[in-house]
């Protein structure tokens, strides 16, 4: 086993207000869209808190650089400079990510320097880099914000001589209104199971007040899962 003992988690996120302006997951209701992103940001922090890993939240106010690649690279660099052997990044746009995801990446560090989890859109829900891989990585060579993110990371890892591994599980990414509709449909069909599924299922305005999967499924079929609304206030 390699000497990868000191590991940190990077939460590279925008604040909920900025995110809501760029991603209209809940259409036509900005305040509820903000509420959804506040939930997603809080959820990913709580996920990391379930582990013993150190974590660093680097939001828009602490990101430096003119491009996404520059900002993302600087975030990794700032953590490696604190003496960590490896850094695992997580975003807020894949609700299926769990504390087990982090443990899976750490396990892969035993034999690999670059570990990636792929989304259904070709993006990455997690990117783990050892210090060795980071020292050779060219963030500018990755096709960020495209369906080729994971593909380009793999090609770059091979080119630079870093051992690469892709996690088996593919998760659903939430970037658009259509993505959210798909995610909710997967919850209804039980293709995805989450402890907090009723938060997301609550984004569908029910025809009746009784919440159950059969009724929610019937509602979704009747309205085509298009009547998406923000979560009811707690």
């Amino acid at each position: 086993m390699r000497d990868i003992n000191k590991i940190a988690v990077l939460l590279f996120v925008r604040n909920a207000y900025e995110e809501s302006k760029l991603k209209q997951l809940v259409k036509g209701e900005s305040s509820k869209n903000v509420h959804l992103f506040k939930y997603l940001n809080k959820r990913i922090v709580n996920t990391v808190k379930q582990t013993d890993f150190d974590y660093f939240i680097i939001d828009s106010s602490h990101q430096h650089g003119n491009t996404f690649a520059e900002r993302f690279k600087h975030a990794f660099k700032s953590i490696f400079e604190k003496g960590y052997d490896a850094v695992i990044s997580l975003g807020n746009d894949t609700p299926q990510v769990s504390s087990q995801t982090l443990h899976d990446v750490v396990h892969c560090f035993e034999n690999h320097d670059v570990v990636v989890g792929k989304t259904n859109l070709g993006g990455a829900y997690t990117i783990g880099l050892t210090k060795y891989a980071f020292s050779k990585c060219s963030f500018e060579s990755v096709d960020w914000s495209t369906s080729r993110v994971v593909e380009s990371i793999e090609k770059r890892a091979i080119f630079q001589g870093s051992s690469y591994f892709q996690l088996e599980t593919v998760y659903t990414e939430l970037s658009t209104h259509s993505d959210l509709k798909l995610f909710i449909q997967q919850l209804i069909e039980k293709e995805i199971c989450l402890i907090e599924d009723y938060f997301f299922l609550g984004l569908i305005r029910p025809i009746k007040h009784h919440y159950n999967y059969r009724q929610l499924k019937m509602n979704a079929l009747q309205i085509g899962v298009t009547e998406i609304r923000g979560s009811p206030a707690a």
Side-chain angles (χ1 to χ4, degrees):
M1 180 176 176
R2 296 180 301 165
D3 188 23
I4 306 293
N5 297 313
K6 195 174 181 183
I7 300 172
V9 179
L10 162 63
L11 299 180
F12 191 78
V13 297
R14 299 186 186 93
N15 70 52
Y17 296 97
E18 291 177 318
E19 196 84 282
S20 66
K21 292 179 181 179
L22 295 172
K23 298 180 180 179
Q24 290 294 312
L25 298 188
V26 182
K27 283 188 174 181
E29 300 188 50
S30 59
S31 62
K32 293 179 180 179
N33 203 44
V34 170
H35 180 66
L36 172 56
F37 282 109
K38 282 184 177 180
Y39 172 84
L40 291 173
N41 282 345
K42 183 177 180 180
R43 182 193 178 281
I44 197 62
V45 172
N46 288 339
T47 295
V48 181
K49 284 183 177 180
Q50 294 173 21
T51 73
D52 295 325
F53 300 117
D54 294 339
Y55 68 94
F56 299 87
I57 302 173
I58 300 183
D59 61 17
S60 306
S61 62
H62 295 92
Q63 295 171 12
H64 303 283
N66 296 320
T67 66
F68 176 86
E70 291 177 355
R71 293 190 293 272
F72 202 31
K73 181 178 182 179
H74 186 274
F76 269 93
K77 182 174 182 289
S78 67
I79 298 176
F80 275 118
E81 287 177 343
K82 298 179 185 295
Y84 290 94
D85 302 314
V87 175
I88 304 169
S89 70
L90 293 177
N92 67 350
D93 56 359
T94 45
Q96 291 161 276
V97 167
S98 67
S99 58
Q100 184 59 49
T101 303
L102 292 172
H103 291 298
D104 290 343
V105 175
V106 171
H107 177 72
C108 292
F109 280 148
E110 293 181 8
N111 299 298
H112 302 89
D113 291 298
V114 180
V115 184
V116 175
K118 186 177 183 179
T119 74
N120 62 317
L121 301 179
Y125 59 82
T126 185
I127 300 174
L129 299 176
T130 63
K131 195 169 187 177
Y132 169 81
F134 178 75
S135 69
K136 293 179 171 293
C137 185
S138 171
F139 281 65
E140 293 76 15
S141 299
V142 176
D143 297 327
W144 303 110
S145 302
T146 73
S147 60
R148 301 183 301 277
V149 173
V150 169
E151 178 186 344
S152 60
I153 291 175
E154 180 178 9
K155 288 182 178 178
R156 181 62 198 177
I158 294 172
F159 176 79
Q160 72 186 31
S162 296
S163 51
Y164 173 88
F165 186 83
Q166 182 179 312
L167 299 178
E168 181 179 356
T169 308
V170 176
Y171 288 153
T172 300
E173 177 181 338
L174 303 182
S175 293
T176 68
H177 179 68
S178 296
D179 297 334
L180 182 59
K181 289 194 292 182
L182 171 63
F183 184 75
I184 292 174
Q185 187 63 48
Q186 289 173 318
L187 285 173
I188 292 172
E189 298 292 344
K190 297 293 188 73
E191 295 174 15
I192 295 175
C193 293
L194 294 177
I195 294 176
E196 67 274 27
D197 58 0
Y198 274 96
F199 174 87
F200 294 98
L201 292 172
L203 297 175
I204 300 175
R205 183 170 61 185
I207 295 174
K208 295 182 179 180
H209 294 294
H210 182 60
Y211 277 74
N212 59 62
Y213 280 105
R214 177 173 293 181
Q215 184 63 56
L216 286 166
K217 184 175 180 179
M218 289 175 63
N219 294 349
L221 292 175
Q222 288 183 29
I223 64 179
V225 201
T226 57
E227 293 292 335
I228 295 200
R229 295 292 184 266
S231 174

